[in-house]
Amino acid sequence: MQKQEEKSRMVYRLVLTGGPCGGKTTGQARLSTFFENLGWKVFRVPETASVLLSGGIKFTDLSEDEGVTFQENLLKTMLQVEETFFELGRTCRRNCLIICDRGAMDASAFISKERWESIMADNSWNNIELRDNRYNQIIHMVSAANGAEDYYSTEDHSCRSEGVELARELDSKAAAAWIGHPYFDVIDNSTDFEGKIRRMIGSVCHKIGLDTGDRLLTNSKKHKFLVAGPMPDDALFPPFQDFEVVHNYLQSNSPNQVRLRKRGQKGYYSYIHTVRRQNQPGGQVIEVKTQINHRDYINLLTQKDNSHFTIYKKRRCFIFDNQYFQLDIYEQPSHPRCRGLILLETYSTLDDARLQRKLPTFLTIEREVTGSADYSMYNLSLREDWKTSKKYLRTNFVGPEDAEGHGPNQLKLKLNGHGAAPGLAVNGAA
C-alpha cells in the first residue's frame, strides 16, 4: 500500500526563467499559492546568481577568464542547491512542485558556445542531462521590454539595471539557452499581465494533467503545417537545436496507442513512454507520458508493433518572433509516403490570421494540415497501403501525438516525470 502511494505521488520540477521584468517573481508567488491551495507541497529554489551577485560580485569587474570561472562555479553551486530541494521532494508525502528560479542552462546564455562546451567536458556534463532530463518543464517569461515596453522598469530589483535594448538582448539569450527542451513554453506579452500569469499557471497545470475547470481558460491550439523542401540554409534560421528522434509504436489494445520516443544529441538520449487513450468521456483524448531509463526503453522495444515502421526524424527547435516552433524532417528508412516530408508544428493562442504573420518567413509553407489524418504520425508509420489497411485511422487528430508542448483544450496531458514505465519492475517489485 505504501509503495502504491509513493508511486502515485508526483514530484514536478519546473524552471521559471525569462528576461528582465518578465513577471518571474510575481509568477513564482502566484504559482506557489495556486498549488498550495490544491494541497501540494511547493519548494522554491532561489536564484543562485542573485545570491552570489548580492555578495558584491560585478560582471563588469571580471576578466573574460574570471567570468567563465564564475559561471562554472555558479553552475556547480546551483546544481547542489537544486539537489537539496529535489531530495526533499523525493521524500515528501504529498504531491510536490519544485520551482527553480532559473536553471542549469541559463548559465550558458552568458558565455560563448566554445567556453560552455569546455565547461561541459571538464565536468563530464552534457546538455541532454542538464536540460532535458533534469527538469520536467521550462517556462520562459518574456521581458516587458519585448512587447510591453510601457511597463518595463528596473526600480524594484536590486540586481537589475538594464535598459530596454539590453533587456531584449538578454531575453533572447535566456530563451535560446533552453531551446530543445521537450516541454518548453514561451509566455509572451500578447495579453495583459494578469492574462500572462494565468497562461503561465495554466501551462503548468496542463502539462501535469490537472483539471482546473474554467479558472485558467486558455485557447492554445496545436497547429501543423506542411513545408516544401529543400531545407533552407542553416544560416537563415535563428538559434536552433537539432535532435535525433526515433519513434516506435508498441502492441496495444485498440483504439489506444502506445509508443516510445528516443530523443537526443551527440550520443546522449532521453526516453519517453506514452499511452494515448482514445474515446474517453466527453470526447477527450488522454495522454499519459512517463520518462523512462535506457534499460526500460530496451525492454519495452520487445513489444514493438511490426505493422508500423520505426519513424526517424531530425527535429529542429527554434524561436521565431517569440513563437516556439519545432520542425520535423522525416528521414530514411521509412515508408515512401514519408520521403522528403517536412512538418512544422507550434502551439498558439493567436487566431489564424495573427499566427500566419508569425510563421517563419525563411520556410516555404504549403498549407496547414492541422487535424488531417494523412499527416498523423500513427498513419504515416503504417506499413500497409492506406486504401486497404484496417488500421488507418480516419478520425481527425487533434492531440499532440508526436509533439512536444501542451495540447489543445480537449486533450488532457499527464506527464509522470521521472518514474518507471507502467508495468515494469521497480527495484525488483512489479
Side-chain angles (χ1 to χ4, degrees):
M1 183 68 178
Q2 184 178 357
K3 286 186 177 180
Q4 277 188 331
E5 289 177 356
E6 289 177 359
K7 192 173 181 180
S8 65
R9 287 199 304 271
M10 179 181 291
V11 178
Y12 198 76
R13 304 173 180 182
L14 171 74
V15 171
L16 204 55
T17 185
C21 197
K24 187 162 58 76
T25 303
T26 302
Q28 183 178 140
R30 290 279 298 275
L31 190 63
S32 298
T33 300
F34 185 90
F35 273 83
E36 285 167 350
N37 288 342
L38 294 177
W40 285 52
K41 177 63 180 177
V42 179
F43 290 116
R44 294 171 292 278
V45 184
E47 182 180 8
T48 308
S50 292
V51 173
L52 297 182
L53 292 174
S54 66
I57 298 172
K58 292 184 178 180
F59 277 117
T60 53
D61 295 339
L62 303 179
S63 67
E64 182 180 354
D65 287 341
E66 287 174 332
V68 172
T69 301
F70 173 77
Q71 291 294 345
E72 182 175 2
N73 287 326
L74 183 153
L75 182 52
K76 290 177 179 178
T77 304
M78 177 190 295
L79 296 179
Q80 185 56 57
V81 172
E82 286 181 352
E83 282 300 329
T84 301
F85 286 90
F86 291 170
E87 182 60 33
L88 288 171
R90 283 189 285 268
T91 58
C92 184
R93 293 184 174 274
R94 289 185 280 164
N95 285 332
C96 183
L97 173 66
I98 302 175
I99 307 172
C100 300
D101 191 340
R102 301 198 184 278
M105 296 303 295
D106 279 286
S108 69
F110 301 98
I111 56 178
S112 68
K113 181 180 179 182
E114 293 73 24
R115 292 279 198 163
W116 176 255
E117 290 180 349
S118 176
I119 290 175
M120 293 291 100
D122 290 345
N123 292 277
S124 299
W125 295 331
N126 66 80
N127 288 343
I128 295 296
E129 289 299 325
L130 287 186
R131 180 190 59 217
D132 300 353
N133 292 341
R134 188 171 182 83
Y135 311 102
N136 295 105
Q137 183 182 1
I138 313 299
I139 288 184
H140 177 87
M141 304 288 281
V142 174
S143 170
N146 197 344
E149 291 81 358
D150 291 344
Y151 298 94
Y152 180 74
S153 171
T154 61
E155 293 178 0
D156 299 323
H157 199 296
S158 59
C159 295
R160 181 185 299 151
S161 59
E162 304 88 353
V164 171
E165 289 303 321
L166 179 56
R168 288 173 180 161
E169 180 184 343
L170 293 175
D171 184 84
S172 296
K173 287 182 176 180
W178 291 100
I179 289 174
H181 189 282
Y183 303 102
F184 177 40
D185 292 279
V186 178
I187 309 297
D188 63 14
N189 297 302
S190 58
T191 62
D192 61 17
F193 187 68
E194 177 62 24
K196 183 178 185 178
I197 296 298
R198 284 176 175 267
R199 282 185 288 134
M200 181 272 292
I201 298 174
S203 174
V204 178
C205 292
H206 211 91
K207 288 289 196 310
I208 292 175
L210 291 176
D211 183 3
T212 59
D214 60 359
R215 283 185 292 172
L216 300 167
L217 276 181
T218 59
N219 59 340
S220 180
K221 296 187 298 183
K222 173 187 174 182
H223 294 268
K224 183 185 290 189
F225 301 90
L226 180 63
V227 177
M231 278 279 288
D233 189 89
D234 288 354
L236 296 176
F237 281 82
F240 62 84
Q241 291 286 332
D242 282 346
F243 296 87
E244 304 167 39
V245 180
V246 181
H247 293 276
N248 278 287
Y249 281 90
L250 306 184
Q251 300 168 32
S252 62
N253 295 323
S254 182
N256 294 339
Q257 299 172 18
V258 182
R259 65 182 183 272
L260 294 176
R261 187 192 74 199
K262 173 184 174 183
R263 177 184 185 274
Q265 297 172 312
K266 300 178 181 179
Y268 297 98
Y269 297 94
S270 61
Y271 307 92
I272 294 288
H273 174 275
T274 300
V275 179
R276 182 182 174 91
R277 296 172 181 163
Q278 316 270 25
N279 302 336
Q280 298 298 300
Q284 283 193 110
V285 176
I286 296 178
E287 285 204 346
V288 179
K289 292 178 178 284
T290 305
Q291 187 162 350
I292 59 176
N293 58 35
H294 178 259
R295 183 190 64 182
D296 292 341
Y297 174 79
I298 296 300
N299 288 340
L300 284 165
L301 271 181
T302 61
Q303 303 172 27
K304 179 181 174 182
D305 185 345
N306 290 321
S307 66
H308 290 264
F309 279 99
T310 297
I311 291 285
Y312 298 92
K313 304 175 185 176
K314 179 170 79 173
R315 174 164 291 169
R316 175 162 294 184
C317 304
F318 60 92
I319 296 174
F320 181 78
D321 197 12
N322 284 330
Q323 188 72 32
Y324 189 57
F325 293 94
Q326 68 176 40
L327 190 67
D328 280 352
I329 302 101
Y330 281 70
E331 298 183 330
Q332 297 300 311
S334 67
H335 193 281
R337 67 174 75 97
C338 296
R339 286 177 187 159
L341 181 62
I342 305 174
L343 295 173
L344 179 73
E345 296 185 0
T346 190
Y347 287 85
S348 179
T349 59
L350 301 175
D351 58 47
D352 290 347
R354 291 174 66 195
L355 180 60
Q356 285 288 337
R357 293 194 291 270
K358 279 185 167 283
L359 294 178
T361 52
F362 49 85
L363 295 176
T364 304
I365 296 175
E366 291 191 355
R367 64 184 183 276
E368 183 166 4
V369 293
T370 304
S372 170
D374 287 354
Y375 292 95
S376 84
M377 188 173 64
Y378 181 88
N379 286 337
L380 287 169
S381 65
L382 285 172
R383 291 183 179 272
E384 300 172 338
D385 187 279
W386 285 348
K387 294 179 181 178
T388 57
S389 175
K390 294 181 179 180
K391 285 180 169 284
Y392 179 82
L393 297 180
R394 288 166 175 79
T395 305
N396 282 352
F397 284 74
V398 293
E401 48 142 8
D402 58 343
E404 297 166 352
H406 55 278
N409 293 332
Q410 63 264 47
L411 183 135
K412 182 178 179 183
L413 179 63
K414 186 172 182 181
L415 181 65
N416 284 343
H418 301 270
L424 290 177
V426 182
N427 295 331

